[in-house]
Amino acid sequence: MTNLFSDLSTEVPEELIEVLAEGQHVRIERIVSTGQASPADFWYDQVQAEFVVVLKGEAKLLLEGEDAPIHMRPGDHVTIPAHRRHRVEWTTPDEPTVWLVVFFGE
Amino acid sequence: MTNLFSDLSTEVPEELIEVLAEGQHVRIERIVSTGQASPADFWYDQVQAEFVVVLKGEAKLLLEGEDAPIHMRPGDHVTIPAHRRHRVEWTTPDEPTVWLVVFFGE
């Protein structure tokens, strides 16, 4: 057994991505952000759908075509269809933001 | 956007199961337990693997053949292979226990 809230170092420059479980059509990751955001004009465009929940910290997720980002706080979850372009506008610099992400074929 | 910690009624006799997202080979559920446990001698035996995390509350999960259950607290997660028999020995009666569960083909 491991814990989603363990090993939350804040002294790393990059986001930490850890694969927690994986099947042929699914990948479950923990991502820890410490103030990072997507680069300017960068959009994720993924072949799989993505279920994403923030479990600690705060983030702003922008879906292409929306006027404003979704402000996500602990427990908030969104399912992003495959090829729905999106970007992380902001994660709080005040504490680590812990995301649980499930990528899956539709 | 919806939140994993909303609508946690404690006045229901049954576990609440809500499908949050679904694909051909994956199903993501929120389960809210309020003191329930698996019936005596009942074992789950599932065709899919299961990634399970406790996000609130406490639970004891027993895998067949183990001497003692795994005591799961918020953030603790376990991946149960397909057909690995298991049961929920206990969930705390003191507050709702919120599980996030991903069933997936291996």
Side-chain angles (χ1 to χ4, degrees):
Chain A
M1 184 172 65
T2 47
N3 191 287
L4 290 175
F5 304 116
S6 62
D7 300 327
L8 298 180
S9 171
T10 56
E11 301 182 1
V12 289
E14 303 291 338
E15 286 188 318
L16 291 175
I17 301 176
E18 182 186 1
V19 177
L20 305 178
E22 201 163 13
Q24 214 178 331
H25 305 280
V26 66
R27 190 172 75 257
I28 303 173
E29 294 180 351
R30 180 183 80 155
I31 301 174
V32 180
S33 306
T34 45
Q36 291 90 356
S38 303
D41 297 325
F42 173 85
W43 294 89
Y44 291 98
D45 184 341
Q46 297 161 175
V47 297
Q48 289 192 305
E50 176 181 351
F51 169 90
V52 58
V53 56
V54 166
L55 295 177
K56 179 178 161 67
E58 287 183 49
K60 292 182 182 175
L61 175 72
L62 182 64
L63 301 177
E64 193 179 43
E66 298 292 326
D67 289 336
I70 303 166
H71 193 154
M72 300 179 72
R73 298 177 179 85
D76 289 333
H77 59 88
V78 174
T79 300
I80 306 169
H83 293 300
R84 179 76 155 98
R85 281 155 54 100
H86 60 281
R87 50 182 275 112
V88 177
E89 291 277 291
W90 173 87
T91 58
T92 178
D94 297 336
E95 60 173 326
T97 294
V98 178
W99 312 77
L100 185 69
V101 186
V102 183
F103 297 98
F104 62 98
E106 281 170 306
Chain B
M1 183 171 65
T2 47
N3 191 285
L4 290 175
F5 305 116
S6 62
D7 300 327
L8 298 180
S9 171
T10 56
E11 300 183 2
V12 289
E14 303 290 338
E15 287 188 319
L16 291 175
I17 300 177
E18 182 187 359
V19 177
L20 305 179
E22 202 163 14
Q24 213 179 331
H25 305 280
V26 67
R27 191 172 73 256
I28 303 173
E29 293 181 351
R30 180 182 81 156
I31 301 175
V32 180
S33 307
T34 45
Q36 292 89 357
S38 303
D41 297 325
F42 173 85
W43 294 90
Y44 291 98
D45 184 341
Q46 297 162 174
V47 297
Q48 289 192 306
E50 175 181 351
F51 169 90
V52 58
V53 56
V54 167
L55 295 177
K56 179 178 161 64
E58 287 182 49
K60 292 181 183 176
L61 175 73
L62 182 63
L63 301 177
E64 194 179 40
E66 299 291 326
D67 290 336
I70 303 166
H71 193 154
M72 299 178 73
R73 298 177 178 85
D76 289 334
H77 59 89
V78 174
T79 299
I80 305 169
H83 294 299
R84 179 75 156 98
R85 282 156 53 101
H86 59 282
R87 52 182 273 112
V88 176
E89 291 276 292
W90 173 86
T91 58
T92 179
D94 298 335
E95 61 173 326
T97 294
V98 178
W99 313 76
L100 185 69
V101 187
V102 183
F103 297 100
F104 62 98
E106 282 170 307

